[in-house]
Amino acid sequence: MVAMPHPTSHVKPITRDDVARMAGVSSAVVSYVVNGGPRAVSPANEAKVRQAIKALGYRPNAAARALALGSSEMLAMIIPDALNPFFASLARAVENAAAERGYTLLLADSQGSPRTERRLIKNFAARRVDGLFLWSELSDPDLMDLEQADIPVVLLNHSTDLATAGSPAVMKHGAGNRGANSVGVAFQDGARMAVEHLISHSHERIGLVMGTNAGGELDAREVGWHQGIQDAGLSAGPIVRVPFTREGGYRAGQELLARSERPTAVFVSSDQQAVGLLCALQEGGLRVPEDLAVFSFDGSPESEYSWPRLSTVAQPVKDMAEAALEALLAPPGQETQTNIFPAELVLRTSCGCH
């Protein structure tokens, strides 16, 4: 009778040396095949190693590899709404930039909740990721867990009016500053330019559909809207405050439709809100841009395929992603920087351009 192993007995794990013996190569060659380098392996030896890996069911020990390298080769990213096409585009751009440097990106959705955001930060800090990209709903998020774990972080929604057309603005805060590096777009400047463009179409009463944030803080896009109107000597149109969602935009459209005195144009704080707004206006029988011109913010793929096509203030997603990765992987001890990119107007039908 063949003795059966006890249910609690442990099977010896397959090691890299076992693969090397079966393939007839050194363990270093197995490592090069598994890790894609750093040295090249002949096609014949690579085929033997992969055949042995398959036959033995070998799985590399990620924890041991991370310990040996002093790196998990994993970065994390927290965004407030994974269903938002803009954030999806940003996450893909960051993931592509990270992959080119050999890193895997872990993505998490805070769903716009500061409490969820704090929990995710704590979890990623405990998992010892090599760095974190954070689009926070708060202007001053709690980064204590990351600081204690010595994990670098880059804030992705920092806003300032420092950027000027043509090149990003960079502020250096000094090596002793414990603040996080940040990358963003000139929200205030972009909103102001959108309002100025609407004014160039002879609009004198321009409303605002403004998204709400968890901290209740004044958004730079609202400041830019005010600035554009004041610089032209006009009176501000109505402000409708709704969530940064399609549903929020739809509700804003219904509210505008119900007003006896509507503005002739409206600046909307996100493309996603603007799509919901367009739906409500269409249902209410208003023509865009003839009855109400619309200009939004973000430059998401969704803006190009709405009807009518949305004029929007575009954020340079690819450039922001690459700058964020450079800031995250910068050697420790360097000066903390705020890298702000200029916004760009993308003119389409919704504002009256053709």
Side-chain angles (χ1 to χ4, degrees):
M1 177 181 293
V2 178
M4 299 296 292
H6 191 275
T8 59
S9 65
H10 297 286
V11 178
K12 181 181 177 182
I14 303 299
T15 67
R16 187 174 60 187
D17 290 337
D18 296 327
V19 175
R21 278 192 291 271
M22 174 172 280
V25 298
S26 68
S27 60
V29 170
V30 176
S31 177
Y32 299 153
V33 172
V34 170
N35 299 319
R39 294 187 179 181
V41 176
S42 70
N45 281 341
E46 181 176 357
K48 288 191 291 185
V49 168
R50 295 200 178 281
Q51 188 175 11
I53 288 174
K54 184 176 181 180
L56 295 173
Y58 170 67
R59 293 188 177 183
N61 188 325
R65 173 177 166 77
L67 186 63
L69 293 176
S71 166
S72 66
E73 296 182 308
M74 285 191 178
L75 304 175
M77 182 176 182
I78 300 174
I79 55 177
D81 183 4
L83 297 179
N84 186 320
F86 169 74
F87 290 121
S89 298
L90 180 63
R92 172 173 286 185
V94 171
E95 183 175 27
N96 289 342
E100 290 178 359
R101 302 286 284 271
Y103 288 88
T104 298
L105 183 70
L106 304 176
L107 182 65
D109 184 355
S110 70
Q111 300 182 43
S113 165
R115 182 177 180 180
T116 302
E117 179 183 295
R118 286 192 294 271
R119 176 178 58 80
L120 291 171
I121 290 174
K122 187 179 292 291
N123 286 346
F124 281 133
R127 293 175 185 276
R128 306 293 302 181
V129 295
D130 288 329
L132 175 71
F133 303 100
L134 174 63
W135 188 294
S136 178
E137 290 287 279
L138 305 173
S139 61
D140 187 22
D142 184 0
L143 306 176
M144 183 177 65
D145 290 298
L146 297 169
E147 292 173 355
Q148 291 178 343
D150 201 25
I151 295 174
V153 60
V154 172
L155 301 178
L156 293 174
N157 61 332
H158 191 87
S159 64
T160 180
D161 58 354
L162 290 172
T164 56
S167 62
V170 178
M171 292 179 60
K172 296 183 178 181
H173 305 301
N177 194 310
R178 291 178 62 82
N181 286 313
S182 54
V183 172
V185 70
F187 287 106
Q188 179 177 331
D189 200 36
R192 177 187 55 78
M193 291 191 300
V195 169
E196 289 175 348
H197 183 80
L198 289 171
I199 293 171
S200 75
H201 282 285
S202 301
H203 293 287
E204 296 183 353
R205 183 168 166 78
I206 302 172
L208 171 68
V209 174
M210 187 65 238
T212 54
N213 58 65
E217 295 144 349
L218 182 62
D219 193 289
R221 282 162 286 197
E222 182 171 343
V223 176
W225 170 77
H226 270 294
Q227 182 185 356
I229 290 172
Q230 289 174 352
D231 289 349
L234 302 176
S235 298
I239 300 177
V240 182
R241 302 187 188 279
V242 291
F244 280 102
T245 60
R246 298 180 186 89
E247 294 81 5
Y250 182 81
R251 194 195 325 159
Q254 291 179 315
E255 184 170 330
L256 289 173
L257 284 166
R259 289 178 176 266
S260 57
E261 294 186 11
R262 284 191 296 268
T264 61
V266 64
F267 172 67
V268 187
S269 56
S270 77
D271 291 344
Q272 192 165 222
Q273 290 171 311
V275 168
L277 176 80
L278 291 178
C279 181
L281 297 180
Q282 175 70 22
E283 288 182 354
L286 258 63
R287 299 168 301 163
V288 177
E290 293 85 357
D291 299 322
L292 183 67
V294 177
F295 212 118
S296 61
F297 201 104
D298 276 343
S300 67
E302 195 169 33
S303 66
E304 188 174 0
Y305 295 98
S306 62
W307 187 255
R309 294 187 176 186
L310 276 169
S311 295
T312 183
V313 183
Q315 301 194 52
V317 169
K318 187 173 185 296
D319 292 340
M320 289 168 61
E322 292 174 351
L325 185 66
E326 288 296 327
L328 196 71
L329 300 182
Q334 288 193 358
E335 295 176 322
T336 302
Q337 294 188 359
T338 296
N339 194 342
I340 304 299
F341 286 85
E344 178 185 359
L345 298 188
V346 179
L347 305 178
R348 301 192 181 105
T349 308
S350 71
C351 71
C353 289
H354 299 281

